[in-house]
Amino acid sequence: MATLATPVRKRGHEDRPAKEQAPAVRAFRATPFTYGTLLIVAAILTTPLVFVGSIALSSDATVNNGAFTIIPREFHWDNFARVFSTELPVGTFLLNSVLISLFSVAGQVLSSGLVGYAFARLRAPGKNTMFLIVIATMMIPTQITMIPQFILFRDLGWVNTFLPLIVPNFFSNAFNVFLVRQFVSRLPSELDEAAMMDGLSFFGIYRRIMFPMLRPVLIAIGIFTLTHTWGDFMGPLIYLNDESKMPLALGVQYITATSQAGQAPPWNLVMVGSILLALPMILVYYLGQKYLYEMDISGGSAGVK
């Protein structure tokens, strides 16, 4: 009598006991408590900005009495025009900030892209050691190099010019080089090899192939550099002496120092200058936030290979 063989079935995920199966991932569902907490946190974080706007719209009498309120009760929009008619050249301050920031962004984008691409693709003896040295410079506090840099720029005759604030950006920095290198490391090397077979040099590969692909990370570097340079106070304070060469970040502080002894500084005009400092950065972040999200190097952090 023939016997029927029972097929042996391997034990799979469906045969596991209920206790051994991995728990299902549940989607997060917001509750009224969640929205209430977020509203409270948002209100706390927004209060200083609202207070700045309230002071900026205040009258001179309110400033002299110090009767400021968080919620604006006065709306003197003419303060935004008055700030340009003070004894200080606020319009020149604003123009200087634009010039310094744009040249600094251009320098960081050009140098960071080239240096990061070189560390990721070019082969040279000691390249990894050099890259580690570059990364190690991120551990050096800025205060340590402040005096040697000032002596160097003073001997070059660059004090009281824009050069100490602009030229160093054309030599990149370790953080931006790291960003570009990690971004390039996750791009397929077959692109370079195919371009080399077509006769392109390394610079040609970078200019025609890599540069368009690096747009998210380079725009992110530009945003980081613009944010730092636009609000930089210490650098202009060290290297610039003439009022006609000061940027807006330093000029706003000078507005508080122009009042007579015993008289309250024009805080409404000072807050107007602060708003002029903040609004461009808010606009830049709003327009470039998608590039910041695209600059995701977490999946391509190849480390030092």
Side-chain angles (χ1 to χ4, degrees):
M1 182 175 180
T3 59
L4 299 176
T6 303
V8 179
R9 187 177 60 175
K10 295 182 179 180
R11 184 179 181 182
H13 177 72
E14 62 279 0
D15 297 324
R16 296 178 184 176
K19 295 182 179 180
E20 296 182 4
Q21 295 184 2
V25 179
R26 296 182 179 180
F28 175 78
R29 293 183 179 181
T31 62
F33 176 77
T34 304
Y35 288 110
T37 304
L38 293 177
L39 287 175
I40 294 174
V41 173
I44 294 175
L45 297 178
T46 309
T47 298
L49 298 178
V50 176
F51 194 35
V52 168
S54 176
I55 298 176
L57 297 174
S58 301
S59 62
D60 294 339
T62 303
V63 172
N64 294 330
N65 296 329
F68 301 120
T69 58
I70 296 179
I71 304 300
R73 294 185 301 179
E74 301 173 313
F75 298 92
H76 292 270
W77 298 101
D78 58 310
N79 291 340
F80 288 87
R82 287 178 52 205
V83 73
F84 293 98
S85 59
T86 59
E87 298 178 356
L88 295 172
V90 178
T92 304
F93 294 160
L94 185 60
L95 180 61
N96 293 339
S97 295
V98 172
L99 292 177
I100 295 173
S101 300
L102 290 182
F103 280 107
S104 299
V105 169
Q108 283 289 345
V109 169
L110 291 175
S111 58
S112 300
L114 290 172
V115 177
Y117 170 72
F119 274 120
R121 287 292 194 260
L122 271 64
R123 297 180 180 177
K127 182 189 70 173
N128 292 336
T129 302
M130 187 179 298
F131 181 70
L132 290 175
I133 294 174
V134 172
I135 296 300
T137 59
M138 297 174 61
M139 303 296 106
I140 302 176
T142 307
Q143 293 78 4
I144 294 179
T145 60
M146 188 178 297
I147 295 178
Q149 281 185 351
F150 178 81
I151 296 175
L152 174 63
F153 293 142
R154 183 197 61 186
D155 294 341
L156 292 174
W158 289 4
V159 176
N160 201 28
T161 66
F162 293 157
L163 294 178
L165 306 175
I166 295 176
V167 172
N169 290 289
F170 282 85
F171 295 90
S172 187
N173 60 52
F175 179 72
N176 293 339
V177 170
F178 173 79
L179 288 181
V180 176
R181 181 196 180 274
Q182 298 302 95
F183 195 91
V184 175
S185 296
R186 67 177 183 178
L187 298 178
S189 59
E190 289 80 3
L191 296 174
D192 302 59
E193 297 173 358
M196 288 181 182
M197 295 180 63
D198 291 337
L200 285 180
S201 61
F202 281 109
F203 183 76
I205 296 173
Y206 174 79
R207 182 173 60 89
R208 296 188 179 185
I209 299 177
M210 289 296 168
F211 187 79
M213 301 179 68
L214 289 174
R215 185 175 64 173
V217 67
L218 292 180
I219 292 179
I221 289 174
I223 294 175
F224 296 152
T225 305
L226 182 63
T227 303
H228 169 74
T229 307
W230 185 263
D232 186 20
F233 178 83
M234 186 61 65
L237 180 64
I238 294 174
Y239 296 109
L240 300 179
N241 300 322
D242 297 340
E243 288 185 357
S244 59
K245 298 179 181 179
M246 293 179 181
L248 185 60
L250 185 59
V252 169
Q253 189 274 338
Y254 270 69
I255 296 178
T256 64
T258 55
S259 60
Q260 300 177 358
Q263 182 181 1
W267 293 116
N268 50 358
L269 301 183
V270 173
M271 293 301 109
V272 169
S274 301
I275 292 176
L276 293 178
L277 276 173
L279 282 181
M281 296 299 97
I282 296 175
L283 181 62
V284 167
Y285 176 77
Y286 176 77
L287 296 177
Q289 60 180 333
K290 64 177 182 178
Y291 298 104
L292 294 176
Y293 298 148
E294 290 178 8
M295 191 205 62
D296 180 17
I297 65 170
S298 59
S301 299
V304 181
K305 295 182 177 179

